[in-house]
Amino acid sequence: MTIKHNHWDIFCTVIDNYGDIGVTWRLAKQLASEYQRSIKLWVDDLNSFHHILPGLDPTTERQKFNNIEVIHWNDKTPASWLAGDTIIEAFACELPDAVKNKLEKCGKQVPVWLNLEYLSAESWIDDIHGLPSLQNNGISKSFFFPGFSEKSGGLICESDLFKLQDTFLSTVDVKKQFLAPFGIHYHDQQIISVFSYESLALETIVQSLVTSEKSTILLVPNSRSVHSISSALAIDEKTLIVGKSYPFGSLTLVITPFTDQEGFDKLLWLSDINIIRGEDSFLRAQWARKPFIWHIYPQDDQAHINKLNAFLKRYCEHLPTELAEIQKQVNLDFNLDKFETIIESWSSFNTNHSALLEHAYEWPKTALNGSDLASRLVDFVENRTAKQIKSQP
Ligand code: TRH
């Protein structure tokens, strides 16, 4: 079987929420636009995908977006799979048997087979990033670990992202224009975006914003945070209309519509503080270069707190001790739902906003370590392919 060059297959199963498809969609877009790869993106749940890509029709089995073909992954479709250069299983989703069987028949020119893991700031990933493991079909699969170190798989970040961001933010009255359709007159209020999971700490913060001396605009994409916010404000969630603004003392609440990823990025860029979650919005908040609180995806055995601490250690490494403590404390209080202490840590976080902003602005350079995930991935595949060719008789 001959393989199609520059053709990559990415397989994704949506476990819950939007992170799995969110990360793979970002990656697919970058590989297609910056590296001219032709991508087939196999996704089992087009309804979830439709939320972050409104132009996608969830009832259509195959549809093209420039150089990316989105294919509904169900029992039948993988039979039509043809080998390309590279196969990515996102987040340990199992390749369909039909594909595994076809791989066996590829002979010496087998595609590079990768499992794209979840992002982690923990240092152990450096030791296992890129390692191959022989599978039952006799073909080896490598484990690709996104991360913050030079030895890891890096972080998804488009090459023109910061330029786009600067251009957007330098538009005259950009905040006024963005907020006007929600009925808000912008006059230097603090803007906070919230895309988190349900949280008692969030409820406490929201209540404090109502009575704060500072005026705040709270932009909340229509998602799980709305449960906590409506509970904090003692209002019936069902009465909130997406796109309308609601005053509560010093706080103006807006439930914003879910948009595509580009629209979501802009929301983060415009905000002074972002409260985000999961994996993709966590990274995009870092690229927004604003102070943020990360509501990490909770795991049963509290493994997420180790992951959070590993990230905070890296993020705070070059911060003066006092600021590092503030950044760490507000993140820990939020994630441990310490509503008794969150007011104090939130208030220090807010008071030190400008110093934390300076740090947030510089952070992407440190985090990226010279190259992003897509470029490391393309290099990895090219090295592997070159080795395969060399080893052929
Ligand atoms: O949605 P998340 O919580 O996703 C996940 C999943 O739960 C996953 O199973 C888990 O393993 C992972 O977290 C750690 O959070 P995340 O990763 O931030 O994904 C949200 C996506 O939604 C992201 O790509 C941005 C996108 N988005 C939009 O495109 N438009 C919007 O308006 C909003 C609010 C989000």
Side-chain angles (χ1 to χ4, degrees):
M1 192 193 288
T2 51
I3 64 174
K4 290 170 83 181
H5 287 293
N6 288 337
H7 278 66
W8 290 34
D9 290 281
I10 304 178
F11 286 84
C12 172
T13 51
V14 174
I15 298 173
D16 60 3
N17 303 330
Y18 308 105
D20 310 287
I21 185 57
V23 171
T24 39
W25 178 231
R26 293 258 192 216
L27 180 62
K29 283 188 285 189
Q30 195 187 356
L31 287 168
S33 66
E34 291 180 31
Y35 296 92
Q36 290 72 51
R37 296 301 187 266
S38 179
I39 309 285
K40 283 194 165 54
L41 178 55
W42 306 77
V43 184
D44 68 341
D45 175 358
L46 295 185
N47 287 315
S48 293
F49 196 179
H50 171 72
H51 274 92
I52 64 163
L53 180 60
L56 178 100
D57 174 4
T59 62
T60 301
E61 294 294 297
R62 285 174 176 260
Q63 48 208 303
K64 273 233 160 198
F65 297 87
N66 299 319
N67 224 3
I68 306 170
E69 187 177 15
V70 174
I71 305 170
H72 185 207
W73 175 7
N74 55 30
D75 294 345
K76 293 174 274 158
T77 37
S80 64
W81 177 81
L82 292 170
D85 296 316
T86 311
I87 300 181
I88 299 177
E89 295 172 346
F91 314 119
C93 71
E94 268 287 301
L95 279 188
D97 286 341
V99 172
K100 284 195 211 156
N101 295 339
K102 281 190 187 175
L103 275 178
E104 270 178 58
K105 298 184 185 103
C106 282
K108 294 237 180 294
Q109 246 201 327
V110 68
V112 176
W113 181 9
L114 297 162
N115 180 39
L116 176 69
E117 295 286 339
Y118 286 110
L119 167 61
S120 173
E122 292 162 301
S123 51
W124 59 262
I125 65 155
D126 288 351
D127 301 328
I128 50 172
H129 166 64
L131 290 184
S133 144
L134 198 62
Q135 303 298 297
N136 287 342
N137 59 358
I139 296 158
S140 91
K141 166 162 92 176
S142 301
F143 292 83
F144 200 90
F145 280 83
F148 293 83
S149 69
E150 220 174 329
K151 275 173 99 182
S152 74
L155 303 164
I156 295 180
C157 184
E158 303 78 24
S159 61
D160 58 354
L161 183 73
F162 298 112
K163 222 164 114 194
L164 280 176
Q165 190 184 108
D166 288 340
T167 310
F168 175 74
L169 291 176
S170 63
T171 313
V172 181
D173 287 339
V174 65
K175 291 186 182 178
K176 266 195 179 144
Q177 284 179 35
F178 184 87
L179 294 165
F182 302 120
I184 296 178
H185 171 60
Y186 176 69
H187 51 87
D188 269 346
Q189 302 95 317
Q190 157 173 261
I191 305 177
I192 302 178
S193 83
V194 184
F195 178 56
S196 67
Y197 307 112
E198 294 79 358
S199 150
L200 287 178
L202 174 63
E203 292 190 25
T204 315
I205 290 174
V206 169
Q207 283 162 350
S208 79
L209 291 173
V210 173
T211 53
S212 164
E213 280 171 19
K214 222 187 216 170
S215 300
T216 300
I217 299 167
L218 199 64
L219 299 177
V220 188
N222 192 12
S223 57
R224 291 171 56 180
S225 321
V226 180
H227 307 325
S228 300
I229 290 168
S230 47
S231 153
L233 298 171
I235 43 170
D236 179 358
E237 190 181 328
K238 290 191 215 88
T239 61
L240 291 170
I241 299 167
V242 176
K244 249 188 100 187
S245 57
Y246 297 89
F248 293 92
S250 300
L251 175 76
T252 304
L253 169 69
V254 186
I255 311 298
T256 62
F258 232 81
T259 63
D260 60 13
Q261 288 181 322
E262 290 69 25
F264 175 62
D265 283 351
K266 288 184 180 137
L267 182 99
L268 301 177
W269 300 348
L270 285 171
S271 299
D272 300 303
I273 293 175
N274 292 303
I275 301 179
I276 39 62
R277 70 189 205 190
E279 175 162 332
D280 185 60
S281 58
F282 162 56
L283 207 50
R284 303 316 280 195
Q286 292 170 62
W287 299 164
R289 301 185 281 186
K290 299 289 175 60
F292 64 92
I293 296 177
W294 179 25
H295 200 189
I296 190 168
Y297 185 74
Q299 287 173 278
D300 287 341
D301 50 3
Q302 296 282 305
H304 61 294
I305 299 299
N306 293 337
K307 285 188 185 161
L308 174 68
N309 281 324
F311 170 72
L312 289 171
K313 190 166 170 234
R314 279 187 199 275
Y315 187 77
C316 297
E317 204 181 339
H318 300 298
L319 268 175
T321 319
E322 200 193 329
L323 282 177
E325 273 316 304
I326 290 168
Q327 176 71 31
K328 285 179 184 168
Q329 201 55 51
V330 74
N331 273 277
L332 282 167
D333 283 353
F334 197 99
N335 280 282
L336 296 169
D337 246 340
K338 293 213 166 155
F339 54 91
E340 316 89 352
T341 49
I342 189 80
I343 284 305
E344 206 183 315
S345 49
W346 168 255
S347 150
S348 309
F349 179 66
N350 234 318
T351 315
N352 288 280
H353 185 266
S354 32
L356 290 167
L357 179 63
E358 266 176 48
H359 179 69
Y361 195 82
E362 295 303 323
W363 168 247
K365 266 187 249 132
T366 315
L368 282 164
N369 269 297
S371 62
D372 67 290
L373 185 141
S375 71
R376 295 188 200 193
L377 195 54
V378 167
D379 285 350
F380 184 90
V381 169
E382 280 173 1
N383 287 339
R384 269 293 146 86
T385 313
K387 270 189 201 147
Q388 264 180 29
I389 293 170
K390 229 169 142 190
S391 69
Q392 282 170 19

